[in-house]
Amino acid sequence: MLKNVSGLYAAFKAKDSRFDGRFFVGVSSTGIYCRPVCRAKQPKPENCTFYSTAAEAEQAGFRPCLLCRPELAPGSSVTDATANLVYRAARMLEENCGNVQSLDEFAGRLGCTDRHLRRVFTAEYNVSPVQYLQTCRLLLAKNLLTDTDLSVLDVAMAAGFGSLRRFNDLFKKQYNLSPTALRKRTSKEKKHNSDVTLALGYRPPYRWEEILNFLAGRAIAGVDTVKNGEYMRTVHLVNAEGKHVYGWIRVGHKSSNNALIVTVNETLLPVLPLVLARVRHLFDLYCDPDAVYQMLSSMNNIRPGLCVLGIRLPGCFNAFEMAVRAVLGQQITVKAASTLAARIVNTYGTPIQTGIEGLTHVFPSPEDILALDGPIENHLGPLGVIAAQSRIIYDLARAIVQREIDFGLSAQPEEAIKKLMTIRGVGSWTAQYIAMHTMEWPDAFLETDVGVKKALGTYTSKELLEIAEAWRPWRSYATINLWNAL
């Protein structure tokens, strides 16, 4: 439970969206908990209790508000220079809430014991990891019940409950309402569609056009595209049982709700939590734009407008795909790198049927690359990829398959950068570029990048590094601002 009640109540009363997702308000007179932006009648201060997470509010006995819908609140952002253990654990629980994994496995991936993870997690969030996982599942299920016409059984399975009975029992116990009753109370006209459309909230402002332009400029023909203000791509994931799942997603923007609207192909329901986690990563939905701008606003002393409030750091949906893009982009233009990537996809990618023009293949996996017979340059060379880059791509694929380099939430970006640079042909620019996009590393800086140098003027690389010291730990965001300034 959070203290500083008067300050939190003032933020709640102001309905300031900058506080959305940072705390939740339990209202004793109604038994529900709300986001700080909730537009329901303002409760009295003495009826309000403040919690740092939705899980903590639910463990205190409160049910989620049907008006402001806590499941749509944006997540928390890492605000220090390296990944926080508890933050990464919470993100991993959200991402894997559809897969049954023991806490032992999670702790092992994070490099600690399960006992230590339980202790620090409970100290930070006032709930255990298991309770946090339960809330992740319940809120995802509530979102699906409210916004889709999926059957209650499909909702239970997609949210990771494993059985309908367990889902019904826990939902009734926690929310004092059956899933069917909730659907009736929140009923609205929904188009019958086998695909699933959900809203993912963010903390405003959000410069949608800028991130869409970034993705459009780097789209790979056959894999992803930007049309009519929406981003679309093919998807290939592996579920908990090792089954390969294929499909597509479409992402649009609804600024009035401070949310992205995500449509997920029905074939991806078995991996829905993982898909939504990848979308949040790709579109940087955990970002706190005010914290970033506060640190980077000094950029505008160099040139007005160099730093813009609300800029996001584009992540990635497929780490290997992004790493290959980075390698192909060495010493050539963005457009030329996209052309080479498209040739690789057309030759070695897996064809899929999407019904969407321009989405025809999934990007080849590391295993696909390793399965090619003979020297890799014999396969990629005829496509226009030089021998040195072909070997880097092969070495990256091998490192991923053998788990020598981790691009996931358990990764330590600074250590991963060092490992990447042990691969022959991978220099600082490539390693930093990969880290900032695949590992959500907020403090990468590309002092040798042509765009960065052009945006900042006539400085040496050493001088640029000295200037960028003032922008820690958000130098990745500074880099994106510099690119956008061009």
Side-chain angles (χ1 to χ4, degrees):
M1 188 169 64
L2 297 173
K3 297 180 180 179
N4 185 25
V5 172
S6 60
L8 293 171
Y9 185 80
F12 180 35
K13 188 174 181 180
K15 312 299 179 193
D16 191 331
S17 58
R18 290 175 298 176
F19 295 97
D20 193 15
R22 293 191 177 186
F23 66 86
F24 296 85
V25 187
V27 183
S28 60
S29 55
T30 62
I32 65 171
Y33 71 96
C34 301
R35 295 157 65 182
V37 295
C38 187
R39 295 294 172 179
K41 183 179 178 181
Q42 186 74 19
K44 296 177 181 179
E46 58 267 27
N47 292 334
C48 295
T49 315
F50 300 90
Y51 302 94
S52 58
T53 67
E56 187 183 1
E58 293 198 2
Q59 288 303 311
F62 293 98
R63 303 184 308 278
C65 175
L66 299 181
L67 180 63
C68 67
R69 302 181 58 190
E71 71 270 18
L72 300 184
S76 300
S77 168
V78 158
T79 54
D80 52 27
T82 192
N84 176 287
L85 173 64
V86 177
Y87 164 83
R88 287 184 290 137
R91 289 282 302 278
M92 286 173 68
L93 289 170
E94 293 170 23
E95 183 175 307
N96 294 281
C97 73
N99 296 335
V100 179
Q101 282 187 308
S102 70
L103 194 59
D104 250 349
E105 290 177 274
F106 278 122
R109 288 171 61 187
L110 291 166
C112 65
T113 64
D114 61 334
R115 184 180 176 211
H116 177 67
L117 180 58
R118 279 196 301 270
R119 183 171 63 248
V120 295
F121 198 100
T122 304
E124 179 70 22
Y125 288 151
N126 298 311
V127 293
S128 70
V130 172
Q131 290 169 328
Y132 191 92
L133 175 62
Q134 173 183 290
T135 296
C136 290
R137 288 172 171 166
L138 285 169
L139 290 179
L140 175 57
K142 182 178 177 295
N143 203 352
L144 290 168
L145 288 167
T146 304
D147 285 348
T148 77
D149 61 359
L150 286 175
S151 70
V152 175
L153 175 60
D154 285 342
V155 168
M157 296 301 107
F161 285 94
S163 78
L164 181 59
R165 181 176 180 178
R166 183 164 176 264
F167 170 50
N168 280 323
D169 290 346
L170 190 57
F171 202 93
K172 288 176 184 176
K173 177 185 176 183
Q174 201 68 30
Y175 295 159
N176 215 13
L177 198 67
S178 71
T180 305
L182 172 72
R183 174 160 276 171
K184 288 178 180 176
R185 288 179 60 172
T186 59
S187 62
K188 56 186 178 182
E189 191 170 337
K190 304 166 189 165
K191 293 180 180 178
H192 180 69
N193 195 330
S194 55
D195 303 319
V196 173
T197 299
L198 296 170
L200 297 180
Y202 59 75
R203 193 169 287 112
Y206 191 101
R207 307 289 293 194
W208 171 251
E209 291 300 326
E210 280 84 348
I211 198 166
L212 209 60
N213 289 338
F214 183 94
L215 295 174
R218 291 157 179 80
I220 301 172
V223 173
D224 60 345
T225 185
V226 172
K227 292 180 182 176
N228 303 319
E230 293 182 318
Y231 173 78
M232 293 166 277
R233 71 164 290 124
T234 59
V235 173
H236 169 215
L237 293 169
V238 180
N239 69 9
E241 289 77 41
K243 180 182 176 182
H244 292 262
V245 183
Y246 299 86
W248 55 265
I249 61 169
R250 182 172 65 245
V251 184
H253 184 219
K254 194 169 185 178
S255 58
S256 59
N257 287 14
N258 293 333
L260 300 189
I261 307 302
V262 184
T263 300
V264 180
N265 186 204
E266 64 172 329
T267 59
L268 298 174
L269 270 180
V271 289
L272 182 61
L274 184 55
V275 170
L276 298 179
R278 298 284 181 96
V279 172
R280 289 188 178 100
H281 171 31
L282 174 60
F283 288 94
D284 197 16
L285 298 191
Y286 290 96
C287 175
D288 181 344
D290 291 295
V292 173
Y293 185 76
Q294 184 178 359
M295 186 61 67
L296 298 185
S297 59
S298 62
M299 293 176 69
N300 294 328
N301 296 332
I302 299 173
R303 192 170 80 240
L306 206 56
C307 177
V308 178
L309 177 62
I311 290 295
R312 293 312 204 263
L313 172 62
C316 72
F317 196 93
N318 179 321
F320 181 60
E321 175 188 313
M322 176 58 74
V324 171
R325 275 286 325 216
V327 172
L328 295 175
Q330 294 173 335
Q331 308 299 322
I332 62 173
T333 65
V334 170
K335 185 177 180 180
S338 297
T339 299
L340 291 177
R343 291 174 186 167
I344 293 173
V345 166
N346 190 53
T347 308
Y348 299 111
T350 302
I352 66 168
Q353 297 294 323
T354 65
I356 299 174
E357 185 181 357
L359 299 187
T360 59
H361 292 72
V362 295
F363 198 85
S365 68
E367 291 81 0
D368 292 333
I369 296 298
L370 296 183
L372 298 175
D373 292 329
I376 187 64
E377 48 266 41
N378 292 352
H379 296 278
L380 301 187
L383 304 179
V385 182
I386 63 175
Q389 290 178 334
S390 297
R391 287 191 289 271
I392 295 172
I393 292 170
Y394 185 88
D395 288 341
L396 278 169
R398 180 186 48 76
I400 291 172
V401 170
Q402 295 180 1
R403 299 188 177 183
E404 295 172 2
I405 297 178
D406 184 2
F407 293 121
L409 286 166
S410 57
Q412 294 288 351
E414 289 174 307
E415 289 301 312
I417 288 170
K418 292 177 183 177
K419 290 179 181 178
L420 283 167
M421 290 178 66
T422 63
I423 296 175
R424 186 174 181 181
V426 174
S428 176
W429 183 94
T430 306
Q432 296 269 350
Y433 186 95
I434 291 173
M436 70 189 285
H437 292 297
T438 67
M439 292 175 256
E440 304 182 41
W441 179 229
D443 201 33
F445 189 69
L446 312 179
E447 74 278 4
T448 62
D449 183 80
V450 174
V452 168
K453 288 188 171 185
K454 187 175 180 181
L456 284 174
T458 54
Y459 293 101
T460 65
S461 295
K462 183 179 179 182
E463 289 170 336
L464 289 176
L465 276 175
E466 291 172 356
I467 291 170
E469 277 297 306
W471 303 333
R472 286 184 181 272
W474 305 113
R475 293 185 300 171
S476 294
Y477 289 87
T479 301
I480 297 297
N481 272 285
L482 293 171
W483 286 343
N484 287 341
L486 298 176

